[in-house]
Amino acid sequence: MANIQWYPGHMTKAKRQMQEDIKLIDLVIELVDARLPLSSKNPDIDALAGGKARLILLNKADLASPEYTADWEAWFKSKGYYVLKLDSRARGGAKAVTAIVAQACKEKIERDRRRGILNRPVRAMVVGIPNVGKSTFINSYAGRACAKTGNKPGVTKGKQWIRLSKTLELLDTPGILWPKFEDQSVGKKLAIAGSIKDELLDIRELAADLTDLLVRYYPGTLSGRYGVDETASPADILYGIAENRNCKLKGNEPDYDKASKLLLDDFRSARLGRITLEFPPA
């Protein structure tokens, strides 16, 4: 696969803006994709958010393996983060978020109280790479559509303050993806999960990478859904999916692109089951 680079100019600007905004902030809320928490975590944020309280939201937890999500939760907590697993589209997550925000900002609230500052809202910055569900989270948390959502990467362009309650204000920021994927496997996993525009990628190669992961870590998934032989090569597995799902070109040739897209769509919508693509470092 060609080297994946995706760092439009507005992201460089967003990063500079973030360095300014961080001074106004008590808490950084970072959304990551529960299916690939490390690959979807922006390494820049740790440098930018030094000294601030940190909350990691393992979003899309409804699509990830519950057992591995619990492992990731423990791993992030061991690194000093507050952690919450979340499906940002589901109603009812707001209470849990409010409780953990109060916990994360306890010291700040106490400090304010000692100084006689009462009821100053906690100011939180919401960050995350494109398409991780940031806008959906803000909208469902606020209970109204205040941030534009789209399931295409890069919908949020400018920053906006959103007052959620008397005690919490949120600063929404554009999704930032780091400039270079030091490790190409990170780019591949992000692409499989849909965080990079499909048009930029070789869809067949992506599907082949996904079949490799599924055969290795989730044996029986592909054979169960498509009736394919999992000991075959990725190309033969794709051929089997094309046959099974009648993805055909003129002249009855298999349509590999269509079969690849179908496989990726089935993974992204959890029709293959709840699947995590990476596991906590030992």
Side-chain angles (χ1 to χ4, degrees), residues 176-207:
I176 299 181
L177 211 61
W178 50 99
K180 252 201 178 65
F181 298 114
E182 297 303 333
D183 172 359
Q184 278 298 300
S185 77
V186 168
K188 280 180 185 172
K189 281 182 265 191
L190 283 167
I192 288 169
S195 285
I196 296 167
K197 293 173 181 168
D198 282 345
E199 303 87 81
L200 301 177
L201 308 161
D202 180 331
I203 197 134
R204 285 191 210 180
E205 226 173 289
L206 217 51

Short mmCIF file of all heavy atoms in Angstrom, two decimals, residues 176-207:
data_model
loop_
_atom_site.label_atom_id
_atom_site.label_comp_id
_atom_site.label_asym_id
_atom_site.label_seq_id
_atom_site.Cartn_x
_atom_site.Cartn_y
_atom_site.Cartn_z
N ILE A 176 -7.83 16.17 14.37
CA ILE A 176 -6.45 16.32 13.89
C ILE A 176 -5.85 14.93 13.70
O ILE A 176 -5.93 14.10 14.60
CB ILE A 176 -5.59 17.09 14.90
CG1 ILE A 176 -6.15 18.51 15.09
CG2 ILE A 176 -4.15 17.17 14.43
CD1 ILE A 176 -5.36 19.35 16.06
N LEU A 177 -5.27 14.71 12.56
CA LEU A 177 -4.55 13.45 12.34
C LEU A 177 -3.08 13.81 12.26
O LEU A 177 -2.71 14.81 11.68
CB LEU A 177 -5.02 12.83 11.03
CG LEU A 177 -5.00 11.31 10.96
CD1 LEU A 177 -5.92 10.72 12.01
CD2 LEU A 177 -5.43 10.84 9.59
N TRP A 178 -2.22 13.00 12.88
CA TRP A 178 -0.81 13.39 12.89
C TRP A 178 -0.22 13.35 11.48
O TRP A 178 -0.69 12.64 10.60
CB TRP A 178 0.00 12.55 13.86
CG TRP A 178 -0.19 11.08 13.72
CD1 TRP A 178 0.63 10.21 13.08
CD2 TRP A 178 -1.26 10.30 14.25
NE1 TRP A 178 0.13 8.94 13.19
CE2 TRP A 178 -1.02 8.97 13.88
CE3 TRP A 178 -2.40 10.61 15.01
CZ2 TRP A 178 -1.89 7.94 14.25
CZ3 TRP A 178 -3.26 9.59 15.35
CH2 TRP A 178 -2.99 8.28 14.98
N PRO A 179 0.85 14.15 11.28
CA PRO A 179 1.37 14.36 9.93
C PRO A 179 1.92 13.10 9.27
O PRO A 179 1.78 12.91 8.10
CB PRO A 179 2.50 15.36 10.12
CG PRO A 179 2.45 15.81 11.52
CD PRO A 179 1.54 14.93 12.29
N LYS A 180 2.56 12.24 10.04
CA LYS A 180 3.19 11.06 9.42
C LYS A 180 2.84 9.84 10.23
O LYS A 180 2.91 9.86 11.44
CB LYS A 180 4.71 11.24 9.46
CG LYS A 180 5.36 11.54 8.14
CD LYS A 180 6.83 11.19 8.22
CE LYS A 180 7.50 11.43 6.89
NZ LYS A 180 7.52 12.83 6.48
N PHE A 181 2.45 8.78 9.54
CA PHE A 181 2.27 7.52 10.27
C PHE A 181 3.65 6.87 10.34
O PHE A 181 4.15 6.37 9.35
CB PHE A 181 1.31 6.60 9.52
CG PHE A 181 -0.07 7.17 9.39
CD1 PHE A 181 -0.59 7.52 8.16
CD2 PHE A 181 -0.85 7.37 10.52
CE1 PHE A 181 -1.86 8.06 8.05
CE2 PHE A 181 -2.11 7.91 10.42
CZ PHE A 181 -2.62 8.25 9.19
N GLU A 182 4.25 6.92 11.53
CA GLU A 182 5.60 6.34 11.67
C GLU A 182 5.53 4.85 11.34
O GLU A 182 6.45 4.27 10.81
CB GLU A 182 6.11 6.51 13.11
CG GLU A 182 6.29 7.97 13.54
CD GLU A 182 7.22 8.76 12.64
OE1 GLU A 182 8.11 8.14 12.01
OE2 GLU A 182 7.06 9.99 12.56
N ASP A 183 4.41 4.26 11.68
CA ASP A 183 4.25 2.82 11.50
C ASP A 183 3.08 2.63 10.54
O ASP A 183 1.96 3.02 10.83
CB ASP A 183 3.95 2.24 12.89
CG ASP A 183 3.56 0.77 12.84
OD1 ASP A 183 3.49 0.22 11.72
OD2 ASP A 183 3.30 0.19 13.91
N GLN A 184 3.35 2.04 9.38
CA GLN A 184 2.30 1.91 8.36
C GLN A 184 1.11 1.08 8.83
O GLN A 184 0.01 1.24 8.35
CB GLN A 184 2.88 1.32 7.07
CG GLN A 184 3.57 2.37 6.21
CD GLN A 184 2.63 3.47 5.73
OE1 GLN A 184 1.66 3.24 5.05
NE2 GLN A 184 2.93 4.71 6.12
N SER A 185 1.35 0.17 9.81
CA SER A 185 0.22 -0.66 10.27
C SER A 185 -0.83 0.22 10.96
O SER A 185 -2.01 -0.10 10.95
CB SER A 185 0.70 -1.78 11.20
OG SER A 185 0.99 -1.25 12.47
N VAL A 186 -0.39 1.36 11.54
CA VAL A 186 -1.34 2.30 12.16
C VAL A 186 -2.26 2.87 11.08
O VAL A 186 -3.49 2.88 11.22
CB VAL A 186 -0.58 3.45 12.88
CG1 VAL A 186 -1.52 4.58 13.26
CG2 VAL A 186 0.12 2.91 14.11
N GLY A 187 -1.66 3.30 9.97
CA GLY A 187 -2.45 3.84 8.85
C GLY A 187 -3.43 2.82 8.31
O GLY A 187 -4.59 3.14 8.02
N LYS A 188 -2.97 1.58 8.21
CA LYS A 188 -3.85 0.52 7.68
C LYS A 188 -5.05 0.30 8.60
O LYS A 188 -6.18 0.18 8.12
CB LYS A 188 -3.07 -0.80 7.56
CG LYS A 188 -2.21 -0.87 6.31
CD LYS A 188 -1.47 -2.18 6.25
CE LYS A 188 -0.52 -2.22 5.07
NZ LYS A 188 0.34 -3.40 5.11
N LYS A 189 -4.79 0.22 9.91
CA LYS A 189 -5.90 -0.03 10.84
C LYS A 189 -6.90 1.11 10.82
O LYS A 189 -8.11 0.90 10.85
CB LYS A 189 -5.35 -0.28 12.26
CG LYS A 189 -4.81 -1.70 12.44
CD LYS A 189 -4.31 -1.94 13.84
CE LYS A 189 -2.85 -1.71 13.94
NZ LYS A 189 -2.24 -2.15 15.18
N LEU A 190 -6.39 2.35 10.77
CA LEU A 190 -7.28 3.51 10.70
C LEU A 190 -8.13 3.47 9.43
O LEU A 190 -9.31 3.79 9.44
CB LEU A 190 -6.47 4.81 10.72
CG LEU A 190 -5.93 5.21 12.09
CD1 LEU A 190 -4.90 6.32 11.94
CD2 LEU A 190 -7.05 5.67 13.00
N ALA A 191 -7.48 3.05 8.33
CA ALA A 191 -8.20 2.98 7.05
C ALA A 191 -9.28 1.90 7.10
O ALA A 191 -10.41 2.11 6.65
CB ALA A 191 -7.20 2.68 5.93
N ILE A 192 -8.96 0.75 7.69
CA ILE A 192 -9.94 -0.33 7.81
C ILE A 192 -11.15 0.14 8.61
O ILE A 192 -12.30 -0.13 8.27
CB ILE A 192 -9.30 -1.58 8.48
CG1 ILE A 192 -8.33 -2.27 7.50
CG2 ILE A 192 -10.37 -2.58 8.93
CD1 ILE A 192 -7.46 -3.36 8.13
N ALA A 193 -10.90 0.91 9.69
CA ALA A 193 -11.99 1.37 10.55
C ALA A 193 -12.78 2.53 9.94
O ALA A 193 -13.82 2.90 10.45
CB ALA A 193 -11.43 1.79 11.90
N GLY A 194 -12.25 3.13 8.85
CA GLY A 194 -12.98 4.20 8.17
C GLY A 194 -12.58 5.60 8.58
O GLY A 194 -13.29 6.56 8.32
N SER A 195 -11.39 5.75 9.21
CA SER A 195 -10.94 7.10 9.62
C SER A 195 -10.20 7.84 8.52
O SER A 195 -9.85 8.99 8.68
CB SER A 195 -10.03 7.00 10.85
OG SER A 195 -10.81 6.74 11.98
N ILE A 196 -9.92 7.16 7.43
CA ILE A 196 -9.25 7.79 6.29
C ILE A 196 -10.16 7.58 5.08
O ILE A 196 -10.72 6.48 4.92
CB ILE A 196 -7.86 7.16 6.06
CG1 ILE A 196 -6.97 7.45 7.27
CG2 ILE A 196 -7.21 7.71 4.80
CD1 ILE A 196 -5.71 6.65 7.31
N LYS A 197 -10.30 8.60 4.27
CA LYS A 197 -11.24 8.50 3.14
C LYS A 197 -10.89 7.31 2.25
O LYS A 197 -9.75 7.17 1.81
CB LYS A 197 -11.19 9.80 2.33
CG LYS A 197 -11.74 10.98 3.09
CD LYS A 197 -11.52 12.29 2.35
CE LYS A 197 -12.07 13.44 3.19
NZ LYS A 197 -11.68 14.76 2.70
N ASP A 198 -11.89 6.50 1.96
CA ASP A 198 -11.67 5.30 1.13
C ASP A 198 -11.11 5.65 -0.25
O ASP A 198 -10.37 4.87 -0.84
CB ASP A 198 -12.99 4.52 0.96
CG ASP A 198 -13.32 3.69 2.21
OD1 ASP A 198 -12.41 3.51 3.04
OD2 ASP A 198 -14.46 3.24 2.34
N GLU A 199 -11.47 6.84 -0.75
CA GLU A 199 -11.01 7.21 -2.10
C GLU A 199 -9.48 7.31 -2.17
O GLU A 199 -8.90 7.23 -3.25
CB GLU A 199 -11.59 8.57 -2.53
CG GLU A 199 -13.11 8.68 -2.53
CD GLU A 199 -13.68 9.10 -1.17
OE1 GLU A 199 -13.66 10.31 -0.88
OE2 GLU A 199 -14.13 8.21 -0.43
N LEU A 200 -8.83 7.50 -1.00
CA LEU A 200 -7.38 7.67 -1.01
C LEU A 200 -6.65 6.32 -1.02
O LEU A 200 -5.44 6.28 -1.02
CB LEU A 200 -6.93 8.43 0.24
CG LEU A 200 -7.50 9.84 0.45
CD1 LEU A 200 -7.00 10.43 1.76
CD2 LEU A 200 -7.12 10.76 -0.70
N LEU A 201 -7.41 5.22 -0.99
CA LEU A 201 -6.78 3.93 -0.68
C LEU A 201 -7.03 2.88 -1.75
O LEU A 201 -7.95 2.98 -2.54
CB LEU A 201 -7.36 3.42 0.65
CG LEU A 201 -7.28 4.45 1.78
CD1 LEU A 201 -8.24 4.09 2.88
CD2 LEU A 201 -5.87 4.53 2.30
N ASP A 202 -6.21 1.85 -1.69
CA ASP A 202 -6.43 0.67 -2.51
C ASP A 202 -7.34 -0.26 -1.71
O ASP A 202 -6.92 -0.91 -0.75
CB ASP A 202 -5.08 -0.01 -2.80
CG ASP A 202 -5.24 -1.26 -3.65
OD1 ASP A 202 -6.31 -1.91 -3.57
OD2 ASP A 202 -4.30 -1.60 -4.39
N ILE A 203 -8.61 -0.29 -2.12
CA ILE A 203 -9.64 -0.97 -1.31
C ILE A 203 -9.40 -2.49 -1.23
O ILE A 203 -9.66 -3.12 -0.21
CB ILE A 203 -11.05 -0.62 -1.82
CG1 ILE A 203 -12.10 -0.97 -0.78
CG2 ILE A 203 -11.36 -1.27 -3.15
CD1 ILE A 203 -13.13 0.09 -0.56
N ARG A 204 -8.84 -3.06 -2.31
CA ARG A 204 -8.57 -4.51 -2.28
C ARG A 204 -7.48 -4.85 -1.28
O ARG A 204 -7.55 -5.85 -0.57
CB ARG A 204 -8.13 -5.00 -3.66
CG ARG A 204 -9.27 -5.08 -4.64
CD ARG A 204 -8.79 -5.82 -5.88
NE ARG A 204 -9.50 -5.36 -7.05
CZ ARG A 204 -9.29 -5.82 -8.27
NH1 ARG A 204 -8.37 -6.75 -8.47
NH2 ARG A 204 -9.98 -5.37 -9.28
N GLU A 205 -6.45 -3.99 -1.26
CA GLU A 205 -5.35 -4.24 -0.34
C GLU A 205 -5.83 -4.13 1.12
O GLU A 205 -5.42 -4.89 1.99
CB GLU A 205 -4.25 -3.19 -0.59
CG GLU A 205 -2.88 -3.81 -0.66
CD GLU A 205 -1.85 -2.78 -1.07
OE1 GLU A 205 -1.85 -2.36 -2.25
OE2 GLU A 205 -1.05 -2.40 -0.20
N LEU A 206 -6.73 -3.17 1.32
CA LEU A 206 -7.30 -2.96 2.64
C LEU A 206 -8.11 -4.19 3.09
O LEU A 206 -8.00 -4.65 4.22
CB LEU A 206 -8.23 -1.74 2.56
CG LEU A 206 -8.29 -0.81 3.75
CD1 LEU A 206 -6.90 -0.40 4.17
CD2 LEU A 206 -9.14 0.40 3.41
N ALA A 207 -8.92 -4.70 2.16
CA ALA A 207 -9.73 -5.89 2.45
C ALA A 207 -8.82 -7.09 2.74
O ALA A 207 -9.11 -7.90 3.63
CB ALA A 207 -10.66 -6.19 1.28
#
